[in-house]
């Protein structure tokens, strides 16, 4: 199933919502393609969609839910992908000197 939350996330001078699937990434990409979302709108496990597109997503069959429920369903589906936190590689640095 496809879900969309409220457009409450500010970016680029507007508000964005998240679009997810609790079934598969294939279902999500296919739905996003039908909406006309560009590939660059996909981030790890969801699409960011502008506030003006939320109604179109619901009209196309997405179920509107709140943000907490969206994250809960994404985690329960096993499709949640955590952010990758980059840390510096362990390297041998010379001791500080004068």
């Amino acid at each position: 199933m496809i879900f969309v939350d409220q457009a409450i996330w500010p970016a680029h001078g507007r508000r964005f919502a998240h679009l997810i699937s609790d079934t598969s990434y294939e279902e999500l990409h296919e739905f996003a393609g039908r909406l006309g979302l560009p590939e660059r709108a996909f981030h790890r496990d969801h699409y960011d969609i502008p506030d003006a597109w939320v109604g179109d997503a619901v009209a196309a069959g997405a179920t509107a839910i709140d943000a907490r429920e969206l994250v809960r369903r994404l985690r329960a589906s096993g499709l949640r992908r955590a952010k990758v936190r980059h840390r510096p590689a362990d390297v041998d640095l010379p001791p500080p000197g004068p």
Side-chain angles (χ1 to χ4, degrees):
M1 217 171 154
I2 299 291
F3 298 96
V4 63
D5 64 4
Q6 304 91 350
I8 59 174
W9 312 102
H12 312 290
R14 59 193 320 178
R15 300 225 177 245
F16 285 80
H18 298 127
L19 185 74
I20 66 150
S21 168
D22 69 349
T23 304
S24 69
Y25 294 118
E26 292 79 18
E27 177 189 45
L28 178 60
H29 294 312
E30 192 247 68
F31 189 90
R34 286 196 327 261
L35 284 180
L37 287 170
E39 288 182 24
R40 71 179 179 275
F42 182 70
H43 301 278
R44 292 184 325 274
D45 52 19
H46 68 275
Y47 279 85
D48 289 338
I49 66 170
D51 50 2
W53 291 46
V54 172
D56 293 340
V58 171
T63 300
I65 58 177
D66 70 44
R68 288 179 194 236
E69 180 66 12
L70 182 133
V71 171
R72 189 193 70 71
R73 288 180 186 248
L74 188 57
R75 285 182 179 149
S77 73
L79 296 173
R80 180 72 168 145
R81 291 183 179 160
K83 284 184 181 179
V84 175
R85 305 248 184 233
H86 297 285
R87 32 181 218 154
D90 293 331
V91 293
D92 292 326
L93 297 175

